[in-house]
Amino acid sequence: MLLRILGTAAGGGLPQWNCACPGCAGARRHPSRRRLHDGLAFHGTGTGAWFLVNATPDVAQQLESHADLRPGAGRDRTPVVRVVLTDAELDHTLGLLRLREAARIEVWCTQPVHKALTTRLPLTDVLSPYTELTWHDLPLTDAGPPVRLAGLEVSAVPLSDKRPRYAADEPAHPAWSTALKVRDPSTGTSALYAPALAGWSDHFGAAIARTDCVLLDGTFFDEEEPRRTGISQRTASEMGHLPIAGPEGTAERLRRLGAQVYYTHLNNTNPLVDPGAPQHEQLGGRGLRVAEERMVVSL
Ligand code: MLT
Ligand code: MN
Ligand code: ZN
């Protein structure tokens, strides 16, 4: 399979339109530091077929800037777009509105995400005059067979009951926020995408241990970053994102695993958005890396 990185920034992007913090100012001075909202496209082995993971506010630009995702191959338009969602967060779903020129949008998501996106953010009602929006159940890993998309097996590992702020009063459910598992049956290789890791469960640890490539929540470098930079009164973990560094951070836990790991969903406050930041050395020493924009991983 081919995994195409469409963006690597947390909500707001880099630079964020209303922010002049060092990370955002640096990205304005050095365009190579710019990052679009985190999202992926997967291609099955030996096929032109692909599907998106999450539909970000940057989705049209993301599709346009990858030749393999543009319309073509004998068609005037891309008739159907397939999107798998890890959660119902705005940075992962607003792009569905942007895709309304498609004849059909097919979406796979978990049950609480479907409820949020049809009631609290009424996408079916809003989009029905424009396109045909079809919802499908995204199966939970180990709870049934995965769904087959573009020749790949796709399922969701439940991570937490972290709800989007617009649906904060909805009931708790373990599949509000998930990691997406994608396995290529033709090679036996697999990838895991977890842009919001609120806690490290044994279940997640076991899923990661069986995976060849992990794209992991790299929103905040350390636990105090959101409070220190003034963007929130809460710590990184309280915001639903385990930090990279520190005793409870993901870097320490990942040291014991053999998978290729790339951090993604970087917030503009994360010092790693500056390629010269000394914090990069703390990653390199452990075999961990920051995902690059437009990176392609072949598994
Ligand atoms: C998150 O990743 O925690 C959310 O996307 C934050 C947001 O609402 O922008
Ligand atoms: Mn986010
Ligand atoms: Zn900023």
Side-chain angles (χ1 to χ4, degrees):
M1 74 175 111
L2 275 189
L3 191 162
R4 197 177 287 280
I5 308 262
L6 303 181
T8 56
L14 184 73
Q16 180 173 310
W17 68 277
N18 64 345
C19 187
C21 74
C24 291
R28 288 191 184 95
R29 273 197 314 276
H30 306 281
S32 63
R33 295 188 192 175
R34 288 174 179 259
R35 291 176 186 266
L36 301 178
H37 287 97
D38 71 296
L40 304 176
F42 279 96
H43 305 251
T45 301
T47 75
W50 51 269
F51 64 88
L52 296 178
V53 183
N54 294 335
T56 85
D58 301 315
V59 69
Q61 184 185 345
Q62 290 170 330
L63 294 174
E64 189 55 33
S65 58
H66 290 260
D68 290 353
L69 303 178
R70 292 179 197 150
R75 289 185 188 275
D76 294 338
R77 297 182 182 228
T78 302
V80 183
V81 61
R82 297 181 176 83
V83 184
V84 183
L85 299 176
T86 56
D87 51 57
E89 297 287 348
L90 293 178
D91 52 343
H92 295 156
T93 55
L94 285 179
L96 292 171
L97 295 164
R98 189 71 183 82
L99 294 171
R100 68 189 177 281
E101 292 87 2
R104 203 163 83 235
I105 306 175
E106 302 231 20
V107 181
W108 283 260
C109 63
T110 64
Q111 180 248 312
V113 170
H114 174 250
K115 185 171 175 232
L117 295 178
T118 45
T119 59
R120 308 305 294 266
L121 189 65
L123 288 178
T124 300
D125 291 349
V126 173
L127 283 169
S128 64
Y130 302 87
T131 183
E132 190 185 326
L133 182 58
T134 310
W135 299 94
H136 305 274
D137 244 348
L138 177 60
L140 300 183
T141 308
D142 304 333
V147 60
R148 191 85 174 237
L149 286 170
L152 302 171
E153 296 171 356
V154 184
S155 61
V157 181
L159 292 183
S160 76
D161 64 0
K162 171 177 157 58
R163 281 144 277 194
R165 281 188 268 171
Y166 69 82
D169 55 345
E170 289 287 327
H173 189 291
W176 269 108
S177 172
T178 68
L180 203 75
K181 183 175 177 188
V182 181
R183 182 175 172 276
D184 187 340
S186 73
T187 55
T189 51
S190 58
L192 200 63
Y193 182 44
L197 187 68
W200 190 290
S201 66
D202 290 345
H203 191 63
F204 181 70
I208 248 192
R210 296 193 299 261
T211 307
D212 300 290
C213 176
V214 185
L215 286 135
L216 191 63
D217 185 346
T219 312
F220 300 115
F221 191 76
D222 70 87
E223 181 70 342
E224 287 300 323
E225 181 183 315
R227 298 209 284 213
R228 190 174 56 250
T229 56
I231 62 156
S232 176
Q233 311 274 15
R234 295 181 294 166
T235 65
S237 308
E238 286 166 0
M239 291 180 72
H241 297 285
L242 281 184
I244 295 172
E248 298 303 315
T250 52
E252 188 56 35
R253 295 173 186 273
L254 288 164
R255 200 155 55 123
R256 296 183 282 274
L257 299 169
Q260 277 182 72
V261 179
Y262 296 97
Y263 281 112
T264 186
H265 193 272
L266 272 73
N267 197 54
N268 41 57
T269 52
N270 189 327
L272 294 174
V273 300
D274 176 352
Q279 284 84 353
H280 283 277
E281 282 153 36
Q282 292 181 45
L283 293 193
R286 297 168 194 246
L288 308 171
R289 281 155 288 192
V290 174
E292 297 303 329
E293 292 285 289
R294 306 174 50 78
M295 194 173 86
V296 178
V297 179
S298 174
L299 292 171

